[in-house]
């Protein structure tokens, strides 16, 4: 079998791989795990979900596909006929048991407006775990690599193909190869080259060497895997270098899971002074970080013959998805060559004295049970106070639940007309990039930058400002996110400063979270990670209006609702984003709007539905949550009347072994000031935590 690897940016000029050695071929096939399939004569136990369009096995082309179906229209050519709607098909693998980490390589093609997604389905869970997706069309087969974490329980691979609505739209899968190990690993013995690709350069590129093919360079080595001429490796040479600093890049597939451990590879290099060989990580934003660079000192024995393979081990810490980039630069045609083989990865660090990956969650705090690991600097001024507000119609509660605790700096609570309040995080390591997220709310301030600022406090007392408020809070909770880099160990300091009583107000702080990496790497961090979650920032997440049984519609909105003294002033997710609500003014008393979730698989275990609701306004109506099981509805939760001016959190535990839909039903009250809103819906397997916001409406006990 011969296979020609293509880069989506340009064709990778590469020698066709011809398997001369039967040993290499036999060993390659023996590494395939259950769940692999080439679809040559059957689907290897893969089955289509009967509730959706079936995947079709094309015996002449050895692939399975989901295609848009055009309605036959007399007198119309096929190119003129458009499908009425999209076609959705789910292909399910047999149950798999993988005790060790494995890598699935998917050879596929997408045409027109189609979409392909790979998910993992575990028993006892109503939602599948997204692993990988693409909607980029191509004119040839493309390889995707998907890491599969070791699992102690059986699971199924779910391939979701969506075709349409444009004519000619289709999704096809040619092969599925599942092999033990990490997707970063490669010995370059298989035609797909483990998903590695060459980043095209006009003059210098990575090629496949070995395989019994006579190369134009006599000093090329035997491959490292089999130590002979029939094995394969990757190489780049300087023969066609035209300009100063010509660069060739060999790029791994993007890891789909966080990786921390030891990256190992073998390389061989000639003319050390004529080339520069480096290894980098590259994240989804295209940001590079150097892991290793070859130098003259890398040779173990300078008296040994050229072409000796050198073993390299380097620690890799990637708490988010990255690619590994092997980069070689040449300055002239006399720069020699670099060969690469046998890339491997171990979850254990190369050096026993390597510091473990820092856990940024030590800086997380929602202040429900205290200050967590934060401390206060009382020497420089007054303190932040931990306070709580009962649900009421005058003042916002905390961001976490609407009735919990948060930090407050308030000038009128202090003995002096001015104040400086500082709360300090635990120590963060140096030379690390972080993403800080927190919620703040300002009242009464003249919106000066001194109202709230965040600093890095380094050893020796040096302070560096990394954030200051620029968004006017309007008394609602607003999400702030800050990407920053530490050059040395430091602490975060949240500082509120008031120089004059007349310029000050209150500053509230809640739900601090810290992650490794750039904030843009986790944009959409709430909605994209879980199939059962929706924050309505990018749409309705599959929720639909119930046109059969309601008399009004839920509306997606940002900012305040049109009617005064009812509805939220901002969403719960960011304060500036979207939520769903009913506008009471055009509805009649007693009319309702129903929002339906996608069908949810039944499970034997408990389920927990969490969401935030907003019921503020005189004579507000009713909000109910139901489970619809083929027309039979079960009431799960309800609230009636005005509850609070704040977003309140609800936890709803239930069980259903049958497929069902979650229904949010809002009923208009007797007044036009009875808007009802929901946001940040999350459905998870397992029991709910033992906490629930009460329905008592009270007055503020801390904030006016």
């Amino acid at each position: 079998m011969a296979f020609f690897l293509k880069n989506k940016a340009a064709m990778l000029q590469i020698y066709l791989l011809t398997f001369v050695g039967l040993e290499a071929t036999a060993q390659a096939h023996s590494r395939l795990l259950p769940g692999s399939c080439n679809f040559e004569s059957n689907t290897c136990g893969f089955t289509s979900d009967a509730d959706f369009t079936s995947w079709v096995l094309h015996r002449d082309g050895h692939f399975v596909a989901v295609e848009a179906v055009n309605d036959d229209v007399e007198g119309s050519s096929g190119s003129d006929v458009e499908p009425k709607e999209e076609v959705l098909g789910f292909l399910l693998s047999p149950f798999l048991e993988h005790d060790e980490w494995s890598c699935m390589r998917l050879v596929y093609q997408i045409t027109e407006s189609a979409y392909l997604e790979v998910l993992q389905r575990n028993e006892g869970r109503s939602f599948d775990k997204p692993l990988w997706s693409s909607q980029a069309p191509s004119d040839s087969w493309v390889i995707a690599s998907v890491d599969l974490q070791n699992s102690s329980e059986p699971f199924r691979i779910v391939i979701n193909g969506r075709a349409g609505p444009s004519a000619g739209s289709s999704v096809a899968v040619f092969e599925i190869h599942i092999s033990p190990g990490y997707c970063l690993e490669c010995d370059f013995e298989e035609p797909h080259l483990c998903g590695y690709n060459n980043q095209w350069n006009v003059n210098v590129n990575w090629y496949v060497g070995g395989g019994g093919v006579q190369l134009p360079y006599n000093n090329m080595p035997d491959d490292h895997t089999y130590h002979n001429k029939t094995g394969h490796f990757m190489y780049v040479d300087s023969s066609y270098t035209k300009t100063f600093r010509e660069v060739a890049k060999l790029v791994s597939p993007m890891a789909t899971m966080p990786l921390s451990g030891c990256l190992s590879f073998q390389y061989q290099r000639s003319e050390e002074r004529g080339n520069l060989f480096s290894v980098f990580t590259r994240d989804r934003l295209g940001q590079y970080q150097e892991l290793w660079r070859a130098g003259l000192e890398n040779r173990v024995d300078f008296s040994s013959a050229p072409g000796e393979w050198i073993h390299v081990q380097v620690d890799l810490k990637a708490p988010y998805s990255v690619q590994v980039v092997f980069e070689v630069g040449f300055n002239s045609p006399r720069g020699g060559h670099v060969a690469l083989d046998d890339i491997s990865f171990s979850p254990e660090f190369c050096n026993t004295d390597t510091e473990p990956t820092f856990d940024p969650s030590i800086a997380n705090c929602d202040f429900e049970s205290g200050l967590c690991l934060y401390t206060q600097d009382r020497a420089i001024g007054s303190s932040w106070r931990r306070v709580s507000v009962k649900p009421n119609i005058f003042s916002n509660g905390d961001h976490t639940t609407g009735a919990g605790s948060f930090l407050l700096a308030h000038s009128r609570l202090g003995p002096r007309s001015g104040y400086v309040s500082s709360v300090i995080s635990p120590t963060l390591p140096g030379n690390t990039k972080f993403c800080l997220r927190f919620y703040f709310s300002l009242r009464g301030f003249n919106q000066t930058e001194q109202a709230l600022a965040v600093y890095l406090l380094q050893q020796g007392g040096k302070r560096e400002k990394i954030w200051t408020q620029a968004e006017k809070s309007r008394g609602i909770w607003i999400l702030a996110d800050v990407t920053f880099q530490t050059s040395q160990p430091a602490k975060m300091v949240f500082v509120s400063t008031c120089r004059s009583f007349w310029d000050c107000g209150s500053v509230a702080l809640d739900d601090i979270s810290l992650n490794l990496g750039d904030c843009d790497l986790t944009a959409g961090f709430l909605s994209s990670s879980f199939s059962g979650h929706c924050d309505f920032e990018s749409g309705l997440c599959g929720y639909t209006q119930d046109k059969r049984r309601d008399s009004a519609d839920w509306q997606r909105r940002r900012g305040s609702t049109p009617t005064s003294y009812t509805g939220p002033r901002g969403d719960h997710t960011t304060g500036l984003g979207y939520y769903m609500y009913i506008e009471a003014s055009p509805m009649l008393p007693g009319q309702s709007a129903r929002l339906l979730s996608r069908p949810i698989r039944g499970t034997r275990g408990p389920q927990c539905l969490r969401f935030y609701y907003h019921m503020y306004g005189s004579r507000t109506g009713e909000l109910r949550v139901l489970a619809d099981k083929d027309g039979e509805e079960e009431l799960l939760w309800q609230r009636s009347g005005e509850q609070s001016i704040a977003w309140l959190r609800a936890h709803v535990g239930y069980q259903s072994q049958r497929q069902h839909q979650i229904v949010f039903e809002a009923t208009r009250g007797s007044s036009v000031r009875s808007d009802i809103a929901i946001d940040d819906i999350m459905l998870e397997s397992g029991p709910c935590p033992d906490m629930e916001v009460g329905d008592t409406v009270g007055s503020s006990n801390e904030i006016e």
Side-chain angles (χ1 to χ4, degrees):
M1 175 182 176
F3 193 92
F4 195 54
L5 180 66
K6 291 186 178 181
N7 189 345
K8 291 165 70 175
M11 179 73 77
L12 170 60
Q13 294 183 353
I14 195 171
Y15 288 97
L16 292 177
L17 302 183
T18 304
F19 286 94
V20 177
L22 294 177
E23 176 188 8
T25 304
Q27 183 168 346
H29 284 285
S30 68
R31 291 199 299 257
L32 294 181
L33 297 176
S36 302
C37 191
N38 58 17
F39 301 106
E40 290 189 359
S41 58
N42 57 60
T43 59
C44 313
F46 279 80
T47 56
S48 292
D49 190 323
D51 293 331
F52 299 90
T53 299
S54 295
W55 286 73
V56 177
L57 176 63
H58 291 244
R59 297 187 182 277
D60 55 339
H62 306 301
F63 61 89
V64 290
V66 171
E67 300 172 301
V69 178
N70 297 329
D71 290 340
D72 293 332
V73 179
E74 186 177 354
S76 299
S77 63
S79 60
D80 296 330
V81 181
E82 291 287 333
K84 290 184 176 180
E85 58 185 17
E86 66 181 20
V87 177
L88 184 64
F90 289 87
L91 189 65
L92 310 178
S93 76
F95 281 98
L96 307 176
E97 297 184 20
H98 293 172
D99 296 332
E100 301 295 333
W101 195 291
S102 56
C103 175
M104 182 178 76
R105 293 192 173 89
L106 188 75
V107 184
Y108 70 95
Q109 185 176 12
I110 295 174
T111 59
E112 298 295 335
S113 58
Y115 174 83
L116 181 63
E117 184 179 27
V118 178
L119 309 100
Q120 180 175 319
R121 176 172 297 181
N122 292 84
E123 287 297 306
R125 296 185 181 274
S126 293
F127 289 96
D128 301 327
K129 177 183 178 182
L131 299 177
W132 172 90
S133 66
S134 176
Q135 55 186 11
S138 65
D139 57 3
S140 62
W141 295 106
V142 181
I143 298 175
S145 299
V146 183
D147 286 293
L148 302 177
Q149 286 183 299
N150 49 311
S151 176
S152 59
E153 57 184 32
F155 66 92
R156 304 177 81 174
I157 296 297
V158 180
I159 300 177
N160 171 16
R162 186 178 68 211
S166 62
S169 177
S170 67
V171 178
V173 174
F174 181 65
E175 286 185 345
I176 298 174
H177 284 184
I178 303 178
S179 56
Y182 295 78
C183 290
L184 287 178
E185 299 180 315
C186 196
D187 59 12
F188 304 108
E189 299 300 332
E190 299 210 50
H192 51 61
L193 301 184
C194 317
Y196 277 77
N197 66 73
N198 172 69
Q199 187 167 310
W200 182 253
N201 183 303
V202 175
N203 299 318
V204 293
N205 291 280
W206 287 89
Y207 297 90
V208 176
V213 178
Q214 181 64 39
L215 298 178
Y217 312 102
N218 293 327
N219 59 344
M220 282 295 174
D222 292 348
D223 97 302
H224 181 269
T225 310
Y226 300 114
H227 304 286
N228 58 33
K229 296 294 184 182
T230 61
H232 301 86
F233 56 90
M234 300 299 293
Y235 78 95
V236 57
D237 72 87
S238 62
S239 300
Y240 296 100
T241 301
K242 302 296 184 183
T243 63
F244 182 76
R245 195 70 168 90
E246 294 269 19
V247 175
K249 295 181 180 180
L250 183 68
V251 184
S252 78
M254 180 70 73
T256 56
M257 301 283 183
L259 294 174
S260 292
C262 181
L263 176 68
S264 302
F265 58 91
Q266 301 281 342
Y267 83 97
Q268 184 272 123
R269 182 176 176 225
S270 67
E271 304 295 338
E272 286 89 344
R273 298 187 184 277
N275 58 66
L276 181 65
F277 180 30
S278 304
V279 181
F280 300 86
T281 59
R282 184 171 69 187
D283 61 32
R284 293 189 183 275
L285 299 178
Q287 299 172 338
Y288 285 76
Q289 181 176 354
E290 186 174 84
L291 293 179
W292 173 88
R293 178 177 296 187
L296 292 176
E297 68 277 5
N298 291 116
R299 267 202 181 279
V300 177
D301 182 5
F302 286 93
S303 63
S304 61
E308 176 190 0
W309 289 100
I310 300 174
H311 185 214
V312 173
Q313 291 184 313
V314 58
D315 287 323
L316 171 64
K317 295 182 179 180
Y320 41 83
S321 295
V322 296
Q323 295 170 296
V324 176
V325 181
F326 295 88
E327 180 180 290
V328 177
F330 299 107
N331 293 331
S332 74
R334 297 182 298 275
H337 72 263
V338 173
L340 175 69
D341 203 2
D342 291 342
I343 303 169
S344 63
F345 182 81
S346 167
E348 303 295 331
F349 286 118
C350 311
N351 303 310
T352 56
D353 57 349
T354 298
E355 291 287 334
T357 302
F358 176 73
D359 180 7
S361 66
I362 67 168
N364 294 354
C365 195
D366 60 12
F367 304 107
E368 296 303 308
S369 303
L371 297 186
C372 307
L373 297 179
Y374 284 78
T375 59
Q376 301 215 53
D377 187 354
R378 293 183 172 85
I380 64 172
S382 59
S383 302
W384 290 82
R385 302 207 313 153
R386 179 173 164 265
V387 299
S388 63
V389 176
K390 294 179 181 179
N392 70 96
I393 60 173
F394 303 106
S395 299
N396 260 331
D398 76 323
H399 179 265
T400 314
T401 69
S405 299
F406 58 96
L407 289 189
L408 179 70
H410 201 311
S411 64
R412 283 168 286 182
L413 297 179
R416 300 185 297 275
S417 60
Y419 68 90
V420 177
S421 298
S422 299
V423 62
I424 306 170
S425 77
T427 301
L428 311 180
N431 194 31
T432 307
K433 183 175 287 187
F434 291 97
C435 172
L436 167 67
R437 289 188 173 96
F438 61 93
Y439 288 85
F440 71 94
S441 179
L442 305 181
R443 286 190 176 214
F445 269 94
N446 287 333
Q447 305 297 319
T448 65
E449 65 176 20
Q450 293 181 334
L452 181 62
V454 184
Y455 295 85
L456 282 184
L457 178 61
Q458 300 175 352
Q459 295 177 351
K462 181 180 177 182
R463 294 204 314 179
E464 173 190 356
K465 183 184 291 185
I466 59 173
W467 179 89
T468 186
Q469 69 85 20
E471 184 71 39
K472 292 189 176 182
S473 168
R474 309 190 311 277
I476 63 176
W477 289 105
I478 290 182
L479 172 66
D481 53 16
V482 190
T483 298
F484 65 93
Q485 177 93 28
T486 57
S487 57
Q488 56 180 287
K491 298 180 179 181
M492 299 180 298
V493 186
F494 295 82
V495 180
S496 178
T497 304
C498 171
R499 298 302 182 190
S500 167
F501 173 85
W502 304 107
D503 290 334
C504 298
S506 63
V507 183
L509 181 66
D510 202 5
D511 289 343
I512 301 172
S513 65
L514 190 68
N515 291 284
L516 296 173
D518 197 297
C519 288
D520 288 339
L521 290 172
T522 51
F525 62 101
L526 287 175
S527 59
S528 62
S529 301
F530 306 98
S531 295
H533 184 264
C534 189
D535 59 14
F536 303 109
E537 296 305 304
S538 301
L540 302 189
C541 318
Y543 282 84
T544 56
Q545 310 282 352
D546 187 349
K547 297 296 186 181
R548 296 181 298 107
R549 302 184 57 181
D550 64 7
S551 49
D553 285 342
W554 287 83
Q555 301 179 35
R556 180 171 171 261
R557 187 177 179 86
R558 68 190 305 177
S560 302
T561 61
T563 309
S564 59
Y565 300 104
T566 187
R569 287 178 289 174
D571 77 321
H572 179 267
T573 314
T574 68
L576 305 173
Y578 291 89
Y579 56 90
M580 296 294 288
Y581 89 110
I582 63 162
E583 174 57 46
S585 55
M587 299 172 64
L588 297 176
Q591 286 188 329
S592 63
R594 289 163 56 95
L595 192 67
L596 308 179
S597 73
R598 293 174 177 174
I600 300 169
R601 284 196 313 276
T603 64
R604 295 182 178 179
Q607 302 272 64
C608 181
L609 171 66
R610 187 192 76 191
F611 63 95
Y612 287 83
Y613 63 98
H614 196 281
M615 300 176 71
Y616 164 62
S618 60
R619 299 180 182 178
T620 297
E622 182 180 61
L623 177 62
R624 299 200 305 165
V625 179
L626 308 103
D628 187 331
K629 308 171 185 178
D630 295 327
E632 298 179 14
E633 293 191 341
E634 175 187 353
L635 178 64
L636 303 180
W637 178 95
Q638 68 177 348
R639 289 289 184 272
S640 299
E642 187 174 54
Q643 299 295 310
S644 175
I645 199 173
W647 285 99
L648 301 179
R649 185 175 70 185
H651 279 109
V652 183
Y654 74 98
Q655 286 186 250
S656 177
Q657 297 187 36
R658 296 163 55 189
Q659 179 172 286
H660 58 282
Q661 290 177 283
I662 296 296
V663 182
F664 289 91
E665 181 185 83
T667 303
R668 184 213 196 256
S670 60
S671 167
V672 295
R673 294 187 172 90
S674 59
D675 295 347
I676 296 175
I678 57 173
D679 201 5
D680 289 340
I681 303 170
M682 172 76 79
L683 182 60
E684 297 177 297
S685 298
C688 290
D690 186 20
M691 55 175 55
E692 174 63 83
V693 176
D695 57 358
T696 302
V697 177
S699 59
S700 168
N701 66 348
E702 290 290 354
I703 305 178
E704 298 178 359

